[in-house]
Amino acid sequence: MYVGQGVDRIDGKAKITGGAKYAAEFDLPGTAHAVLVQSTISAGKITGFDLVLAEAMPGILAIITTDNAEKLGNLKAAPQKVTYPLLQDSNIKFNGQHIAVVVADTFERATAAAAAVRVNYRATRAVNTMDQAISQSVTPKEFSNGRAKPDSQVGDAAPLLPAGTLRVEQTYTTPIEHHNPMEPHATIANWSGGQLTVWTATQGISGAQKALSSLFGLEPKSVTVICPYVGGGFGSKGNTWPPAVLAAMAARRVNRPVKLVVTREQMFTSNGYRPRTVQRVKLAASPDGKLLSVRHDVKTQTSMPEVGEFAEPSALITRMLYEAPSIGTSHRLVQVNHGLPTYMRGPGESSGAFAIESAMDEMAAALKMDPIAFRLKNYAENDPTARLPFASKALRECYAQGATAFGWEKRNPIPRSMRDGHLLVGMGMATSSYPTNRMPASASIRLTADGSALVRSGTQDIGTGTYTTLAQVAADELGLPLRKVRTQLGDSRLPSAPVSGGSMTSASVVPAVQAAAQGMKSQLFALAINHGGPQWRGISPETLALSESAVIGPTDRLSIAQIFARAKIAQLNATAGAHPDSDAQKYSKHAFGAQFAEVRVDPDLGIVRVSRWVGAFDCGRILNAKTARSQLIGGIIYGMGMALFEETRVDPNSGRITNANISDYLVAVNADVPDIETIVVDSVDPISNPLGTKGIGELPMVGAAPAIANAVYHATGIRVRDLPIRIENLLV
Ligand code: MOS
């Protein structure tokens, strides 16, 4: 069995030797280069362009502006959110909005001419930050992909609470954060005979195909999207963002291939971000630690309605995390002259867990109760809001195994009581959870006489290891050595698969590969029975097996090569689709985890260093121990960034992002990261999908930031409720 083993990435060598081609690296003869021009005001109207300087510069092929851009199809009809700034009119809704594209024969010439484009504006009053309009919030129209409502209430919204009830009522905030994947967004677009081909960095080739075909008025099959490798997405490459559309528009205008690579600075204005949240949490508990009521009210920012709407669903996690007789949540949006927010690793859960898991820690302290004991006392056996049983839940095991590995029993509960020489030591924990998602997907397998298989699906490997895990599954199902199985992904002409988001790629695509393998098996068994000779005739296929590149019968074995030779065929093909089981709707489907952080705080300098980490996770069946661990530690590190470093800053007067680069926007780097111990508790989910996986991409980020904030409180006695935790918060 290859499934479960820590198999090396089959694309690893290509990645480290430069053989793996990313979107910007494809070479088409005659490629021209496009560079974006962006608005320098955040609200108003363009009154005119002055292109005299830019047009006179060498090598210029076209300057496409809001005055002369082609009209696109109905933006709202695009099946995937396509944001407004597609040069369709001269209104400005945020600083950094794309207002022109300059195309030249070289990147340098396009960059120089883009800088020479002069723009005249009539500025109007802008809401540049969420806090400038926080009192004017609106209810989200479309919430969390339409699957949930913005508000929820279980039990009495205002329960009568007995005397002696303990209360925690606090506001927690998280800032705007940007994904900052290593690979910037990039697209090469080429038109040929009315057909569009794009090489683009995306988490969803199928969605990009739908969006581009709808915008350019084409049949989906007239658009080919190619994306063999993605250098990180974290949600920023889930939607089809304006640069990909504008590259296609430019290529049509100049009638040659056009490459558009978003600069690092433009990555802060072109492809979404995690919006700021202001979260009010109210907890009430009896003196013995039973939660009596839980309220979590979220305000978060979105863009102006013309740009689009996105609601960070931060309180969804509170609906299912703990049992209480009264659980209420709400989400409201503040419209800001800023670009459209989007999904970012654990969208909702990561920001929401900071609030609820900080509040839970505050309540445990008020109760003088151990934080784990308090959580166990309010353990949800069933989903308290959906009122459904969990498909599987091994959170108790996560708490227990995590606590043991971490040495939680050594924690002195009194804040500021533990020291390592001069440094204050803090130990904190938090719960993690993320939904187990699944969507329909399809895959095909081709088997050739030499016993090698090619697995194909129109999914994409966003760095999680999909190339490898799909090959492992196919090798196991077909009884082939792993080196004989190749995977081909990232091409919209392949059998279709969903966006690689919501931690659902394995859950969606693996069942399709299994189904295709079943189809392949049936064909091989039929051929063996029909062509194997007298001793195979009349054998029931149920008695056959595939192993070591051969069909194994009761008395005999036939290699794949023998079968192909006798049947006089060169290859076999099988294609299959797989759909979520409707019975799964009767369950609440989530992965879980427990995060344990140890920090050391310098009491004079306010510097926080994370010194140890244990994360214990209930994430279902593991397909590849190595790539799973890689995702687990990646998510935890992303959470360290959220807790201690990451914040996008906006100038309140101009709406301009003031740290749009990765030297001023801080992320956790190797020097910030200690050894991370990850534990995967024994858990298989037989309901969510046939393989029992629960998704790993987002889960390990959830709960990481509050575990650090709780550890900082334990170390210092200072409760920081606004992320990121800064040195100045701890200087008292
Ligand atoms: Mo994930 S934020 O759904 O790419």
Side-chain angles (χ1 to χ4, degrees):
M1 283 279 282
Y2 293 105
V3 164
Q5 282 184 38
V7 173
D8 286 350
R9 288 172 194 269
I10 59 180
D11 51 333
K13 188 174 168 195
K15 281 188 164 177
I16 59 164
T17 57
K21 268 194 172 185
Y22 293 80
E25 298 178 322
F26 286 84
D27 272 321
L28 274 71
T31 295
H33 298 264
V35 169
L36 299 164
V37 179
Q38 296 174 279
S39 165
T40 55
I41 65 165
S42 58
K45 207 170 173 62
I46 298 165
T47 53
F49 287 91
D50 178 355
L51 303 178
V52 174
L53 264 178
E55 277 171 342
M57 292 176 78
I60 301 308
L61 301 169
I63 302 179
I64 307 170
T65 70
T66 53
D67 289 339
N68 64 17
E70 68 176 279
K71 288 297 161 220
L72 295 169
N74 183 357
L75 275 56
K76 298 271 189 288
Q80 254 201 328
K81 257 182 218 144
V82 180
T83 52
Y84 170 84
L86 294 168
L87 315 185
Q88 298 298 290
D89 67 43
S90 55
N91 296 321
I92 300 296
K93 296 294 172 188
F94 64 94
N95 196 319
Q97 179 177 325
H98 309 122
I99 54 175
V101 183
V102 176
V103 193
D105 56 354
T106 70
F107 172 71
E108 289 76 11
R109 285 171 156 180
T111 303
V117 170
R118 297 282 170 266
V119 189
N120 296 311
Y121 303 98
R122 191 170 59 240
T124 52
R125 241 180 98 88
V127 176
N128 286 321
T129 67
M130 177 178 167
D131 294 5
Q132 290 170 354
I134 192 129
S135 58
Q136 298 151 43
S137 59
V138 299
T139 304
K141 280 198 282 294
E142 201 187 309
F143 187 68
S144 206
N145 300 332
R147 280 174 304 183
K149 297 270 181 286
D151 294 9
S152 73
Q153 181 64 50
V154 167
D156 191 342
L160 277 179
L161 299 169
T165 297
L166 284 97
R167 289 164 209 260
V168 167
E169 298 195 15
Q170 293 293 351
T171 300
Y172 305 86
T173 71
T174 64
I176 296 177
E177 294 158 359
H178 275 82
H179 314 74
N180 285 306
M182 271 203 277
E183 180 203 24
H185 286 52
T187 301
I188 299 171
N190 188 38
W191 291 84
S192 168
Q195 309 269 313
L196 171 63
T197 303
V198 295
W199 291 259
T200 190
T202 179
Q203 291 173 238
I205 54 173
S206 54
Q209 182 190 44
K210 281 183 207 128
L212 291 168
S213 59
S214 147
L215 285 167
F216 289 101
L218 302 168
E219 291 297 316
K221 66 174 183 336
S222 297
V223 176
T224 303
V225 181
I226 297 170
C227 179
Y229 293 97
V230 183
F234 314 113
S236 72
K237 292 168 182 162
N239 285 352
T240 302
W241 293 95
V245 182
L246 298 178
M249 192 190 270
R252 183 132 90 172
R253 177 70 60 94
V254 301
N255 197 26
R256 56 197 264 193
V258 165
K259 180 191 286 194
L260 195 163
V261 181
V262 172
T263 65
R264 185 54 66 179
E265 184 177 357
Q266 289 168 342
M267 288 292 288
F268 284 78
T269 43
S270 300
N271 32 254
Y273 55 92
R274 193 197 301 279
R276 173 168 169 77
T277 70
V278 176
Q279 306 179 53
R280 185 88 185 146
V281 178
K282 293 187 194 182
L283 301 179
S286 61
D288 68 342
K290 272 305 281 170
L291 282 168
L292 301 175
S293 117
V294 176
R295 260 220 84 79
H296 189 169
D297 297 297
V298 179
K299 283 192 178 182
T300 178
Q301 74 179 87
T302 187
S303 47
M304 287 298 163
E306 298 87 346
V307 178
E309 183 184 288
F310 176 85
E312 170 94 355
S314 302
L316 289 187
I317 189 167
T318 298
R319 295 180 186 174
M320 48 65 64
L321 209 52
Y322 301 109
E323 182 65 50
S326 168
I327 304 172
T329 67
S330 73
H331 297 83
R332 294 293 179 271
L333 296 173
V334 180
Q335 294 169 339
V336 183
N337 287 98
H338 206 87
L340 183 68
T342 194
Y343 317 97
M344 180 164 160
R345 203 166 193 170
E349 280 75 11
S350 292
S351 52
F354 170 64
I356 187 69
E357 286 297 287
S358 293
M360 286 295 285
D361 199 66
E362 296 202 51
M363 182 59 95
L367 289 161
K368 299 193 172 24
M369 214 171 151
D370 176 80
I372 300 174
F374 177 46
R375 285 167 173 81
L376 287 170
K377 182 116 186 165
N378 296 284
Y379 194 85
E381 298 293 349
N382 296 300
D383 183 326
T385 298
R387 296 179 191 274
L388 293 171
F390 289 112
S392 64
K393 180 172 180 178
L395 178 56
R396 275 198 186 88
E397 290 78 352
C398 297
Y399 291 138
Q401 292 182 32
T404 301
F406 185 73
W408 184 254
E409 81 286 351
K410 293 193 203 83
R411 178 181 184 264
N412 180 337
I414 298 164
R416 240 183 150 86
S417 64
M418 294 179 73
R419 282 189 182 255
D420 173 13
H422 178 61
L423 301 175
L424 299 167
V425 176
M427 296 164 96
M429 59 81 55
T431 309
S432 174
S433 183
Y434 190 78
T436 299
N437 296 309
R438 183 182 173 192
M439 278 172 66
S442 47
S444 70
I445 299 176
R446 168 174 298 171
L447 189 64
T448 39
D450 62 347
S452 53
L454 175 62
V455 180
R456 295 197 276 197
S457 176
T459 180
Q460 46 281 311
D461 188 333
I462 61 171
T464 51
T466 307
Y467 276 107
T468 310
T469 48
L470 296 186
Q472 289 173 267
V473 170
D476 281 348
E477 295 285 333
L478 297 174
L480 299 174
L482 187 60
R483 64 186 159 75
K484 293 287 235 177
V485 182
R486 282 197 309 124
T487 317
Q488 190 191 351
L489 313 173
D491 187 320
S492 62
R493 290 165 295 192
L494 300 174
S496 80
V499 62
S500 289
S503 301
M504 68 180 167
T505 301
S506 292
S508 305
V509 182
V510 164
V513 171
Q514 287 180 310
Q518 284 303 324
M520 180 63 69
K521 253 191 209 177
S522 310
Q523 292 184 57
L524 275 172
F525 291 169
L527 289 172
I529 292 163
N530 292 335
H531 298 277
Q535 67 270 47
W536 289 82
R537 227 158 276 143
I539 287 181
S540 155
E542 282 81 59
T543 61
L544 302 179
L546 265 174
S547 175
E548 292 176 36
S549 307
V551 175
I552 315 295
T555 58
D556 205 0
R557 70 193 292 282
L558 271 175
S559 72
I560 289 168
Q562 287 171 316
I563 295 172
F564 276 51
R566 292 192 194 181
K568 296 188 174 56
I569 54 169
Q571 60 178 45
L572 275 180
N573 291 289
T575 302
H579 298 264
D581 186 344
S582 57
D583 274 359
Q585 299 312 317
K586 296 174 194 151
Y587 296 87
S588 177
K589 299 176 286 295
H590 294 264
F592 295 91
Q595 307 267 24
F596 294 84
E598 185 189 86
V599 298
R600 281 172 161 64
V601 182
D602 186 314
D604 298 325
L605 302 177
I607 294 172
V608 180
R609 310 284 303 177
V610 178
S611 47
R612 284 195 308 125
W613 199 281
V614 175
F617 300 98
D618 160 19
C619 45
R621 165 85 58 84
I622 295 298
L623 298 176
N624 182 325
K626 206 166 184 175
T627 54
R629 172 163 160 84
S630 173
Q631 283 199 73
L632 292 173
I633 61 177
I636 291 165
I637 294 166
Y638 224 106
M640 292 178 187
M642 182 181 187
L644 298 172
F645 307 113
E646 296 197 35
E647 176 182 23
T648 301
R649 304 195 71 121
V650 177
D651 172 25
N653 297 312
S654 66
R656 181 170 174 163
I657 294 172
T658 58
N659 61 343
N661 58 72
I662 45 177
S663 63
D664 294 316
Y665 183 98
L666 304 180
V667 299
V669 297
N670 279 331
D672 298 308
V673 180
D675 276 347
I676 294 174
E677 182 172 351
T678 56
I679 297 167
V680 172
V681 306
D682 204 16
S683 129
V684 175
D685 186 325
I687 289 160
S688 298
N689 63 70
L691 216 70
T693 65
K694 292 172 71 162
I696 310 184
E698 340 250 344
L699 179 73
M701 178 165 186
V702 181
I708 292 172
N710 296 343
V712 166
Y713 169 76
H714 180 236
T716 63
I718 299 169
R719 178 68 63 181
V720 182
R721 301 186 183 90
D722 304 291
L723 291 183
I725 298 169
R726 296 176 184 79
I727 285 171
E728 51 268 40
N729 297 136
L730 304 178
L731 292 177
V732 285

